[in-house]
Amino acid sequence: MAVINIDTTQYDAQLNEKEQRITEQFQRFGVKQLEVFSSEPINYRQRAEFRVWHDGDDLFHIMFDQQTKDKIRVDTFDPAAPLVGEVMQVMIDNLKGCEVLRRKLFQIDYLSTLSGEILVSLLYHKPLDENWLTEINALKEKLSSQYKIDFIGRARKQKEKLGDDFVTERLVVNGQELIYQQVENSFTQPNAKVNIKMLEWAQELCKPLNNDLLELYCGNGNFSIALAGSFNKVLATEISKSSVHSAQYNIAQNKVTNLDIIRMSSEEFTQAMKGERTFSRLDGIDLSSYNCQTILVDPPRAGMDTLTCDLVANYENIIYISCNPDTLERDLDHLTQTHEVKRFAIFDQFPYTHHIESGVFLQRK
């Protein structure tokens, strides 16, 4: 049996290395002391994706070594949340003996929640026919007595849903339960417990600000819903249709009444704010009615373009969440011409990797 074991005795050392690296990289911005938020040392990932390897009658998950590209057999996976780890084994046990479900299967994706739901996506190099539907329905019925589980089958130009194509996460943030729909194939924070720490940190920043909030790149409303209670009104933008749909669902589920989300890119919103273009998607939204003195950005790894940086610099308070220290450093070169860094936090979303999530709070000089 192949096991992806984690040496948890190394966790503190690897987090200290990240702290030192980020402190050195950002010390020229006046960052003397980082706020450091750790992860659980194992069982921290709520989602995982594996290729599937067929070896005669045997069937197992595999990963690829990033350096050598060698295949690594994975029977148990320490980073996975307990529910993912358990269902991984259950899936292999049930797929091995079922020719219809295993044939041409090349990948399995798992998306789980702290609240006990799991969605399993099966990806195939073959059309999914009535026989496949019969077998996957039988498997869903068999496992549903033990798990709150749904399935998706994907093939070329085909998607079959057995139940929902999302899970519903429930996070307790500073004593308040927040509900988030998380859709298959859409971005969600993989480390739910560290996400809670990020939201609590952001709530602490925003509590005394007492104005309106603009958020760019809002995804499914992860931050904007958690922060809505700290502001009079919140306006958020997101380009992904599925994420906007989830955000609207999450607004309703959390009974948030002061938050509007519009489907626009940050570049388009910049043009709208400058009056350079009009958008029908802004019908019913009076931008001039917002007193947005605070802006939150959580951009992709590429960071922000120059025009968006210019827009962000117009706000008194800036909260910048970043998954890439290098593009964050580049953008801070721009933003610290007008603002100064007041707080800097790192959140260990991705233990035992080079990656780190950062949170920076800036205020106008």
Side-chain angles (χ1 to χ4, degrees):
M1 177 175 285
V3 180
I4 302 297
N5 274 329
I6 289 175
D7 181 1
T8 57
T9 64
Q10 296 300 308
Y11 179 74
D12 289 342
Q14 68 91 26
L15 182 55
N16 287 337
E17 184 277 325
K18 290 181 182 180
E19 180 180 2
Q20 290 172 13
R21 171 164 50 87
I22 298 299
T23 299
E24 290 172 9
Q25 183 173 358
F26 290 91
Q27 64 184 357
R28 62 191 177 87
F29 298 109
V31 178
K32 296 182 178 63
Q33 185 63 48
L34 294 183
E35 300 167 64
V36 180
F37 295 88
S38 62
S39 171
E40 298 284 345
I42 59 170
N43 304 137
Y44 48 83
R45 283 194 67 92
Q46 298 299 325
R47 60 173 204 236
E49 301 173 0
F50 301 96
R51 300 304 286 266
V52 174
W53 197 255
H54 302 253
D55 185 8
D57 291 337
D58 203 3
L59 182 80
F60 46 88
H61 300 94
I62 64 167
M63 298 172 66
F64 291 96
D65 186 288
Q66 289 186 331
Q67 273 74 46
T68 65
K69 307 302 178 188
D70 290 341
K71 295 188 299 291
I72 304 170
R73 177 170 175 156
V74 182
D75 291 318
T76 64
F77 187 61
D78 275 357
L83 181 58
V84 173
E86 189 175 327
V87 172
M88 282 172 61
Q89 190 58 56
V90 168
M91 288 302 299
I92 292 297
D93 291 345
N94 282 276
L95 291 170
K96 271 186 184 178
C98 182
E99 178 62 23
V100 171
L101 291 182
R102 66 176 285 173
R103 184 172 175 273
K104 300 284 188 179
L105 173 68
F106 70 92
Q107 183 168 322
I108 308 179
D109 300 344
Y110 300 91
L111 175 62
S112 73
T113 66
L114 294 177
S115 55
E117 298 184 14
I118 189 163
L119 176 63
V120 180
S121 300
L122 304 169
L123 284 63
Y124 289 89
H125 288 308
K126 69 172 183 181
L128 305 179
D129 58 15
E130 288 300 319
N131 288 334
W132 183 88
L133 285 169
T134 298
E135 292 292 346
I136 197 68
N137 268 301
L139 180 58
K140 177 173 166 56
E141 185 174 348
K142 174 184 175 182
L143 297 183
S144 289
S145 62
Q146 190 173 356
Y147 303 103
K148 191 170 187 341
I149 188 169
D150 289 324
F151 289 95
I152 291 175
R154 284 190 175 273
R156 182 177 170 81
K157 297 183 179 178
Q158 189 178 8
K159 175 183 175 182
E160 301 292 343
K161 293 195 300 181
L162 288 301
D164 293 322
D165 63 353
F166 62 86
V167 291
T168 302
E169 181 62 285
R170 298 173 182 272
L171 302 180
V172 178
V173 180
N174 280 323
Q176 178 188 8
E177 183 181 79
L178 299 177
I179 300 168
Y180 292 101
Q181 181 189 83
Q182 299 180 341
V183 178
E184 180 246 9
N185 257 8
S186 294
F187 174 77
T188 55
Q189 298 286 353
N191 192 324
K193 291 183 179 178
V194 172
N195 186 36
I196 290 172
K197 295 179 180 183
M198 290 171 60
L199 296 177
E200 291 181 339
W201 181 80
Q203 283 185 343
E204 182 191 339
L205 293 179
C206 294
K207 211 169 186 178
L209 297 181
N210 193 31
N211 48 69
D212 296 342
L213 171 69
L214 171 65
E215 181 182 358
L216 307 182
Y217 321 93
C218 76
N220 69 347
N222 183 53
F223 280 99
S224 43
I225 286 169
L227 298 179
S230 299
F231 293 93
N232 301 318
K233 290 195 292 185
V234 180
L235 181 64
T237 71
E238 170 57 46
I239 189 61
S240 162
K241 278 186 180 179
S242 62
S243 292
V244 170
H245 184 269
S246 289
Q248 301 291 8
Y249 174 91
N250 295 337
I251 289 170
Q253 287 295 304
N254 290 284
K255 298 180 173 58
V256 177
T257 58
N258 63 336
L259 167 59
D260 286 311
I261 290 181
I262 48 179
R263 192 175 70 80
M264 302 184 87
S265 69
S266 61
E267 293 85 357
E268 288 172 329
F269 186 78
T270 301
Q271 292 171 329
M273 287 294 288
K274 289 184 171 182
E276 295 173 356
R277 283 181 66 188
T278 58
F279 296 87
S280 59
R281 283 166 280 171
L282 284 172
D283 288 350
I285 303 286
D286 180 8
L287 294 179
S288 65
S289 71
Y290 286 84
N291 177 30
C292 292
Q293 297 174 31
T294 303
I295 187 167
L296 187 148
V297 292
D298 186 3
R301 289 191 60 78
M304 298 190 294
D305 62 273
T306 303
L307 287 177
T308 305
C309 268
D310 287 338
L311 171 72
V312 169
N314 289 324
Y315 294 82
E316 293 295 314
N317 312 299
I318 302 169
I319 303 167
Y320 192 140
I321 306 296
S322 169
C323 60
N324 184 343
D326 295 332
T327 53
L328 172 61
E329 182 183 13
R330 180 201 66 203
D331 291 347
L332 286 184
D333 274 328
H334 188 125
L335 296 173
T336 52
Q337 294 173 32
T338 52
H339 291 67
E340 60 183 333
V341 174
K342 293 293 188 181
R343 292 176 65 175
F344 199 121
I346 58 171
F347 304 90
D348 199 18
Q349 280 271 7
F350 314 99
Y352 314 104
T353 73
H354 186 74
H355 299 293
I356 192 72
E357 196 93 357
S358 304
V360 185
F361 180 53
L362 302 99
Q363 288 188 309
R364 189 179 298 283
K365 292 179 180 177

